[in-house]
Structures are given as C-alpha cells and as structure tokens.
Amino acid sequence: MIPRKIKSSGHSIEVPGDKSLSHRAVLFSALAKGKSRVVGFLEAEDPMNTMHAFSELGLKVEKIGQAEYVFTSPGKSGLISPTKDLDFGNAGTGIRLSAGLLCGLPQINATLTGDDSLKKRPMARILDPLNSMGASIQGIGEKKTAPLLIHGKQLHSFAYKSPIASAQVKSCLMLAAMSSEVSLDYEEEILSRDHTENVFRFMGNQLQYKTPTRFLMEPPYKFEGADFKIPGDISSAAFFLVLGLLLKQGSILVKNVGLNPSRTGILKALAAMGGEIRIHNQRIECGEIVGDLEAVSSELSYAEIPPDWIPALIDEIPILTIAGLFAKGGFRIRNAEELRAKESDRIASMVENLRSLGVEVWEYHDGYEFGEIQMTAKSSSLNSWLSGRSPRILTKMDHRIAMSFLVLQAVTGLALRIDNTSWIDTSFPGFQSLLESVLQ
Ligand code: S3P
C-alpha cells in the first residue's frame, strides 16, 4: 500500500449527528407529553437502541426523513413497563441515562441489558447514588454490572459530590431527579460534558450554579415537546481533523460540528501540538455552539496535556494518539484512568496495538507515553521496520479503536490487519466510505 493523498484542497464533508445529543433528544422527548421533532439524529446503533428501548416504553417514533424523526410521548407518567428486556447494545450512555430516568417512575419495572462489552462496564458509579436517592436498581451481572433490574420508585431529593468527572453519572442523576420531580444538588471536580444541562435549559428550566461545577436543580420542571436540531459530532469529526493535519498538503473542512466547550479539548490539544484548525461560521443552535472546522496540513510536536483538559477530550484520545505518532518529541497522556472504563479498556487497547506496530510504549495506570517516532507519510523507522509485515490490530468491540487505526493506515499506507470494523456502526455508519471519498 502507498500513502494516500487528499483529493483536493479544501475538501468539504459533514459527519453524522452528535451521539450524546441524539440519546438526550430521545430521553427528553420521552419525558415531555406531546410531539418533539428531531433533525440531525444519529442513525447509528447506539442512539437507535435508545430509541427502540423507548418505543417499547410507549414513545411513538415516526421517521419523516433522513436523520429526521417525530417522537410522540404520553409524558413521563404515561410511559409503560416493557414486555421484554431493553437492549442498549454497546452504549454506556444509553443504558446509564435511561436507567436514571426509569428509576424515578413508580409505574416501571424493566431490565436493561447490552452486548458483551457493555456487560463488562462499571455500573456501581450509577447504582450507588441512585440507591441512595431511594431507587431500586440492581446490577445482576458479575461485579454488579448489567443486566440492570429496575423497580421504579418515587425518589427523594438528593445531594451528590461525584468522585469522577462523568457526564453519564451526572445526566443519570439529573434524569432521575426529573422523572421523580425532586431536587438535585450535584457537584463534580472538573466539568464533564454539559449537554444534559443545555437541553434542560433549552426546555425552559433553570439551574442555580453555586460554583462552575456545582449546581442545584429544583422542581417544578418543564417538559414540553421541542424541536431539536443536532449538529455533527465533534468526536466523529476528530478523525477527519487529524487526517487533515497529517496529510502532506491541503486541508479538510468539516461543516456543522458541535463546539460545546466541554467537548472541544481535542481542538486545544491539537493546537498545542502545532495543528492549525480554523473555526468558521460559529453560531448557536438549540443552546449549543456550532461551527465549521478546517484542518490544515501541519507539522506536529509534543505538547503537555493538562489534567483539566481530559474530560473534554476523553473520547478523542485514541485518534489524538495517532496524531502523536507524527509528533516531534513523542506523545504522552496521563490522568486518563477513565479510559479503562470505555467501550474497551482504551489504555490497554492502544498500548497493545501500538506495540504490534513496533512502537515502544510505557503504560501507566492512567495513560501511556512513547518517544519520537516521527512517522511521516513518506518514511519513518517504523515504516521500514514494518515493510513487508502487516501487523494485526485488535479492536476489542471498540469503534474508536477501529477508526483511529483506519486513519493511520490511510495516512501512512501501512498494511494493517484490522480484525473487525463492524463496531464502527455503533457511532459512525459510512465512516469508511467518507474516508475513501476524501482520499485519492
Ligand atoms: C458521554 C459521556 C462520556 C463519554 C461518552 C458519552 C455522554 O462518558 O465518554 O462517550 O453522552 O454523556 P463518561 O461520562 O462516562 O465519561
């Protein structure tokens, strides 16, 4: 294989809708009595599973166009117990947020489950605070993992200081407070993504902030059908931004991307590494910042990534690591232990796969590092070490591991044997054809 070149400078693409916002559009539509309309919904397995789960609970779903839906809900008190287990597939966000919402509805009995990857993911982080809030929820898997058994209850008001910066934990408890109409005083050390707060406000509610990372929400809450417009997912755009920076010349423009500041850590990290990413046409839509991103071919070098940037780039660390292979001075990520609780243990997955490529990697409990490889599209010590070999990449049921190594393969021309790319459909159907479309 030879390194690929971009077709033309200024190539313009769009990526599918934001995954976090797509899950939330279903959940908030289910709480609100009446019709909600969603444009830009991510038609990928993860949010589609949340949609199917809520249609089992009584949400009426009508597809009215590409990525466009009308949801009609009987309102939270009209939701009904499902007659079968609710399957959230690979999605931690789907199961954790839905669990919160359902725990606070006394008429609901439900079992929430998922695939083998989801059944290994930690659930104590939501089970403990939910049970302290008066919920009846139990993880019946090994190590209190999914399947989750829920007997809905009227919950009580609750104050919680989260030991981890997790939007899934925060959103789970917010949705529990909303479904039971009780108050929640929530604090985290570093702000995790705040989409739930934004949608909550977009629906006409208020949050009282005591500090930038501690708020109080109090009933009565407003839930009315709304029109949601979902921008492209910055986590999906990230693969093309890194591609644009690494190509030998030209640029890639990714239009209509969500730029919520609690998600844009990847832009800060790539800029600190010397990557030129221009923001065009910035605007606000449905309470979220949106813009077009242009990644211009750049020389990258080592940059320190501070601990308080981690929550805002947690999902982008695999592709950021690929950028690091091209950085003068190497790459290092620390303070990212949460990576071990994602679709795969992403520290172990990245370290193992980089080692198969011949990269000397140091693994830590909360990250990893490697020295300068100075991979270039033309040559590198790795490329010659690998010449004639085709290392195997193990994706471990993890879409972002698969997409990251596909980008590496496209930029370098390395012949990688990527074991399974089907996981990509959980978040980014059409990724491979979009990648092909920008390359010669
Ligand atoms: C998400 C929150 C993050 C992120 C996940 C989506 C969300 O997880 O990694 O992909 O939509 O709330 P944590 O909250 O567990 O860090």
Side-chain angles (χ1 to χ4, degrees):
M1 273 175 105
I2 49 160
R4 310 284 299 273
K5 285 196 193 124
I6 190 144
K7 263 185 192 149
S8 63
S9 185
H11 202 98
S12 158
I13 58 164
E14 285 202 36
V15 293
D18 187 274
K19 183 149 71 76
S20 292
L21 285 169
S22 296
H23 286 294
R24 285 156 175 85
V26 174
L27 296 161
F28 276 89
S29 300
L31 286 170
K33 191 167 181 174
K35 278 190 195 311
S36 296
R37 191 186 149 112
V38 186
V39 175
F41 189 82
L42 172 61
E43 292 174 312
E45 287 170 12
D46 281 6
M48 291 304 281
N49 280 329
T50 299
M51 183 196 281
H52 293 142
F54 276 82
S55 76
E56 294 295 320
L57 292 153
L59 182 74
K60 194 171 146 228
V61 173
E62 278 169 276
K63 180 170 163 69
I64 54 166
Q66 203 205 335
E68 257 188 82
Y69 290 83
V70 171
F71 298 135
T72 311
S73 173
K76 65 186 175 70
S77 46
L79 295 175
I80 48 164
S81 291
T83 51
K84 54 182 186 189
D85 290 0
L86 302 175
D87 186 352
F88 289 89
N90 198 251
T93 307
I95 197 170
R96 294 192 180 109
L97 272 58
S98 303
L101 192 157
L102 297 179
C103 273
L105 297 177
Q107 77 275 23
I108 299 290
N109 288 311
T111 301
L112 281 52
T113 190
D115 68 13
D116 288 346
S117 153
L118 190 55
K119 283 191 201 145
K120 286 193 201 123
R121 296 183 67 183
M123 289 296 154
R125 55 183 55 199
I126 60 160
L127 302 184
D128 295 346
L130 282 171
N131 283 319
S132 307
M133 209 171 164
S136 167
I137 179 168
Q138 210 189 336
I140 57 167
E142 249 182 73
K143 301 189 186 164
K144 295 189 182 170
T145 48
L148 305 178
L149 275 190
I150 294 178
H151 299 292
K153 289 259 162 66
Q154 172 59 45
L155 308 178
H156 52 72
S157 292
F158 190 53
Y160 191 61
K161 186 169 177 179
S162 176
I164 37 176
S166 164
Q168 294 186 9
V169 174
K170 175 170 64 180
S171 307
C172 167
L173 298 185
M174 289 179 74
L175 287 157
M178 283 180 244
S179 63
S180 257
E181 297 266 355
V182 294
S183 59
L184 175 71
D185 176 341
Y186 191 87
E187 182 172 13
E188 56 192 343
E189 243 166 60
I190 303 177
L191 183 75
S192 63
R193 65 188 65 189
D194 59 0
H195 297 301
T196 308
E197 294 93 307
N198 286 345
V199 180
F200 180 76
R201 281 186 288 246
F202 178 65
M203 291 204 134
N205 299 289
Q206 281 180 358
L207 292 168
Q208 299 160 45
Y209 278 87
K210 302 184 173 183
T211 71
T213 58
R214 180 176 177 191
F215 62 77
L216 174 69
M217 55 191 276
E218 282 180 314
Y221 301 125
K222 283 190 200 149
F223 308 110
E224 276 162 30
D227 280 352
F228 297 100
K229 190 167 176 215
I230 298 178
D233 197 323
I234 190 164
S235 299
S236 299
F239 298 101
F240 290 91
L241 299 177
V242 169
L243 184 70
L245 297 180
L246 296 183
L247 286 168
K248 276 180 65 191
Q249 57 196 34
S251 66
I252 297 182
L253 179 69
V254 191
K255 293 179 92 168
N256 190 36
V257 182
L259 297 178
N260 179 317
S262 64
R263 298 285 301 281
T264 48
I266 181 70
L267 302 184
K268 287 205 243 177
L270 289 171
M273 288 165 75
E276 184 181 346
I277 298 180
R278 302 177 188 149
I279 301 179
H280 304 283
N281 196 16
Q282 195 163 302
R283 57 207 184 263
I284 304 268
E285 284 172 3
C286 288
E288 293 277 353
I289 305 174
V290 180
D292 303 337
L293 296 175
E294 183 184 10
V296 183
S297 163
S298 304
E299 296 290 326
L300 301 182
S301 52
Y302 173 85
E304 190 69 39
I305 297 169
D308 59 340
W309 291 10
I310 298 292
L313 53 69
I314 190 77
D315 289 343
E316 288 67 68
I317 292 173
I319 187 63
L320 186 63
T321 306
I322 299 299
L325 288 171
F326 296 76
K328 215 170 169 195
F331 180 78
R332 177 179 149 95
I333 191 92
R334 298 295 306 266
N335 307 293
E337 200 167 359
E338 270 299 299
L339 283 180
R340 296 205 183 268
K342 297 295 172 190
E343 286 82 333
S344 69
D345 171 344
R346 286 192 179 144
I347 294 179
S349 305
M350 288 306 290
V351 167
E352 184 177 343
N353 286 317
L354 290 169
R355 285 184 182 152
S356 317
L357 292 177
V359 179
E360 200 179 339
V361 194
W362 284 265
E363 178 174 354
Y364 303 102
H365 71 284
D366 62 352
Y368 46 86
E369 74 175 279
F370 49 83
E372 180 168 325
I373 315 288
Q374 266 218 298
M375 192 98 126
T376 66
K378 261 190 169 167
S379 68
S380 76
S381 51
L382 258 194
N383 287 25
S384 50
W385 183 83
L386 286 166
S387 80
R389 306 173 59 168
S390 51
R392 193 170 166 81
I393 300 297
L394 301 176
T395 51
K396 315 217 174 181
M397 303 186 81
D398 191 331
H399 54 136
R400 299 199 206 281
I401 301 291
M403 289 186 275
S404 298
F405 284 92
L406 281 167
V407 169
L408 178 67
Q409 174 164 273
V411 179
T412 57
L414 289 172
L416 304 177
R417 280 180 301 136
I418 302 177
D419 65 344
N420 189 343
T421 55
S422 68
W423 321 121
I424 295 173
D425 288 345
T426 62
S427 72
F428 199 159
F431 170 78
Q432 279 167 285
S433 41
L434 192 59
L435 187 59
E436 280 304 310
S437 77
V438 297
L439 298 170
Q440 275 177 356

